[in-house]
Amino acid sequence: MEFQCNLCPRKCNATRGETGNGFCGMGSDPVLARAAPHFDEEPVISGVHGSGAVFFSGCCLRCRFCQNYEISTENFGKRVSPETLRKIYFRLIDQGVHNINLVNPTHFTRAILQSLEGGLPVPVVWNTGGYERVETLRALEGKVQVYLPDLKYYHADAAGRYSAAPDYFPYASAAIREMLRQTGPAQIDENGLMVRGTMVRHLILPGRTQESMEILRWIRENLPGAWVSLMAQYVPAGDANGVDQLGRQLTQQEYDRVADCLMELGLEDGFVQELSSSDEKYIPNFDLTGVLDEWN
């Protein structure tokens, strides 16, 4: 169904129907690139049987280093209806996944809300780049149990150069506060799985360790009850080469500096990736696995 879109901070007011003319380039129906059990999230998300990861195409950011560039910027994927999207959730649940993990879902919020009508028997994870409007998030209250946002940048210059979003931090910081308001402190079940809560991810970028430490300090001072996932999986991808220091991997010294800061701040609830996670083998294969053929 056609609508004027202001779901993300871009506030394009673009017309979205079968196709779209806004920043994300997407129409009103979801476009998926993969829907399958995923085992490379944090242990409280992936568990033993995997997280039911549904990867959406298109994006409201333009991260030069995006590991999912093929789907976020080049928009590879298959269009499905909200009804078919719900069927995909239940196919994943039948495979034993611990949750339904909506990866980069923001620009399809309207269709996702339709797909979640009636609820699901497992938690819903909102796995996002953090560039969100509080007004959009409020429509998700009670329908999303776990928020898994990035907090990529503290400074406008980096956010503008690397993701075409100089206003990233004001929006992301307000959004994450709203997420934490909705979920409250993390709840972990008897199997060690997060069934409710907010876990903030931060990816250390080469040459940006000072900014990473500023972000960790901000989390410590402003997000009591949130978990933190410090990520070291950066590999040059997308259009990163030639942009500042994004064309290289992290050094051991950079990694140690930020990880030590996390420990000094006492941010004990969460996870720290090993530097060895910086490997292309962890990038999913976007081949339409699990995307149902029928379109309703």
Side-chain angles (χ1 to χ4, degrees):
M1 182 177 292
E2 191 173 283
F3 70 101
Q4 303 301 121
C5 185
N6 290 292
L7 289 169
C8 84
R10 304 282 177 188
K11 291 181 278 191
C12 298
N13 202 38
T15 301
R16 294 177 61 184
E18 289 193 11
T19 59
N21 58 0
F23 186 89
C24 68
M26 291 284 111
S28 59
D29 286 314
V31 177
L32 310 184
R34 181 179 177 86
H38 190 59
F39 297 89
D40 294 327
E41 307 285 32
E42 291 81 358
V44 294
I45 303 295
S46 288
V48 174
H49 301 296
S51 178
V54 181
F55 289 87
F56 294 91
S57 304
C59 192
C60 56
L61 290 171
R62 283 291 179 271
C63 299
R64 302 287 296 270
F65 53 86
C66 183
Q67 294 182 352
N68 298 350
Y69 198 85
E70 177 185 3
I71 66 171
S72 66
T73 302
E74 297 177 349
N75 295 345
F76 170 79
K78 180 180 177 61
R79 180 182 169 212
V80 302
S81 68
E83 294 79 13
T84 297
L85 180 58
R86 186 170 177 84
K87 292 177 184 177
I88 289 170
Y89 300 158
F90 278 94
R91 177 176 284 189
L92 289 169
I93 292 166
D94 288 345
Q95 293 176 55
V97 299
H98 301 295
N99 47 61
I100 293 298
N101 182 356
L102 307 175
V103 184
N104 191 28
T106 306
H107 48 300
F108 292 121
T109 299
R110 284 173 59 109
I112 289 170
L113 285 170
Q114 293 178 53
S115 73
L116 292 175
E117 288 180 6
L120 296 179
V122 296
V124 175
V125 180
W126 194 260
N127 186 340
T128 166
Y131 194 51
E132 304 268 8
R133 294 185 67 200
V134 168
E135 295 83 355
T136 300
L137 292 171
R138 285 177 180 156
L140 300 169
E141 187 163 8
K143 299 176 175 64
V144 169
Q145 288 72 47
V146 177
Y147 283 102
L148 194 58
D150 292 336
L151 188 53
K152 297 176 184 289
Y153 311 107
Y154 192 77
H155 296 293
D157 61 339
R161 287 201 311 278
Y162 302 161
S163 295
D167 57 355
Y168 177 88
F169 184 77
Y171 276 105
S173 57
I176 295 171
R177 282 190 175 108
E178 169 63 17
M179 295 172 187
L180 187 58
R181 182 197 69 77
Q182 290 185 21
T183 66
Q187 297 178 20
I188 309 299
D189 72 7
E190 66 277 7
N191 297 312
L193 295 166
M194 184 178 285
V195 293
R196 188 173 185 85
T198 298
M199 180 157 51
V200 183
R201 287 173 161 175
H202 174 67
L203 174 65
I204 309 169
L205 296 177
R208 305 294 301 188
T209 56
Q210 184 61 39
E211 185 164 20
S212 290
M213 293 188 293
E214 290 177 281
I215 286 171
L216 293 177
R217 293 187 189 102
W218 184 88
I219 293 172
R220 175 68 177 82
E221 294 169 3
N222 293 277
L223 299 176
W227 282 35
V228 180
S229 178
L230 185 61
M231 306 178 75
Q233 67 184 45
Y234 181 85
V235 291
D239 190 28
N241 288 326
V243 182
D244 295 342
Q245 299 185 51
L246 296 183
R248 65 170 176 84
Q249 294 182 299
L250 290 176
T251 65
Q252 185 70 52
Q253 183 179 21
E254 287 174 320
Y255 172 80
D256 290 342
R257 187 181 184 205
V258 180
D260 288 348
C261 176
L262 179 97
M263 297 300 145
E264 290 168 6
L265 289 170
L267 293 170
E268 297 177 350
D269 290 332
F271 301 92
V272 180
Q273 272 188 332
E274 297 292 336
L275 188 56
S276 59
S277 64
S278 178
D279 194 310
E280 291 183 358
K281 71 181 182 181
Y282 295 110
I283 300 174
N285 186 11
F286 299 118
D287 57 1
L288 302 180
T289 293
V291 181
L292 298 181
D293 292 334
E294 66 265 28
W295 191 91
N296 297 320

